[in-house]
Amino acid sequence: MRKFIFLAFVFCVCATNAQEFKLTDIYDVANQRTVGQEEEDTWAVDIIVTNDPEKSIATLNIADFGLLDEIRISVLEEPALEGITEILKITLEYNTCCASTEEQYYLVTADYDVIALPSIKNEYGYDPISDIHYIFPNQPFGKEGTILRAVVQYTETHTIKDISVLRSIAWNDDDFGQEEALTAINY
């Protein structure tokens, strides 16, 4: 039952955000391989440009690969950030006793250079009441020239109830690789 509620929630969120991040086939997952000891169940996969497989955008190290349910790649076009043509979002969805997602965000330039944002993890024990997302300038609740990391709270009918900004990042072509991933736990 929990899995059904979670999947229904994910569908509702995806449906309400369809005008924002859109699933794409411009990018693909390739070169799946183990990392370290096989018993650790950590794998690496490359995110590549589909029509140029030699062009790797990112390499993801995926812990607990056996628990991975799905990898989704979506794009937000024209994000209203100077020098950025699109934002690539890679969602890793895990479904075990508790559902969880990990989202990797990459700011992509016209030359396919990428700038990674710190990943965001959301864990759900029951029906989600809040989760963490990045909000970009061209999205609802976005702020010009700024990337927002915010907690989005939902009503029982899965509409947005409130947004609390955790961090406001003024866009100036930064590298965000040193910052730790952020996790939201809903139990």
Side-chain angles (χ1 to χ4, degrees), residues 63-172:
D64 299 322
F65 190 78
L67 301 176
L68 181 66
D69 191 38
E70 179 180 16
I71 299 175
R72 286 188 309 275
I73 302 174
S74 55
V75 171
L76 175 66
E77 296 176 345
E78 301 176 22
L81 295 171
E82 185 177 337
I84 302 301
T85 57
E86 62 188 12
I87 298 173
L88 178 65
K89 179 172 77 170
I90 302 162
T91 304
L92 306 173
E93 186 173 309
Y94 297 89
N95 240 342
T96 57
C97 63
C98 301
S100 66
T101 61
E102 180 177 348
E103 295 176 335
Q104 306 281 340
Y105 291 82
Y106 297 94
L107 310 178
V108 182
T109 68
D111 298 327
Y112 290 109
D113 292 329
V114 296
I115 300 166
L117 292 172
S119 66
I120 294 177
K121 298 177 185 177
N122 288 291
E123 296 181 5
Y124 309 97
Y126 301 101
D127 200 15
I129 56 170
S130 68
D131 50 19
I132 298 173
H133 294 283
Y134 283 109
I135 301 172
F136 299 97
N138 68 334
Q139 294 180 297
F141 308 105
K143 185 177 175 185
E144 183 178 338
T146 304
I147 301 168
L148 302 175
R149 185 168 55 204
V151 174
V152 179
Q153 296 180 355
Y154 302 98
T155 65
E156 290 178 5
T157 59
H158 304 292
T159 58
I160 294 176
K161 176 181 175 181
D162 189 30
I163 294 179
S164 303
V165 175
L166 298 173
R167 181 160 184 220
S168 178
I169 306 165
W171 173 243
N172 59 0

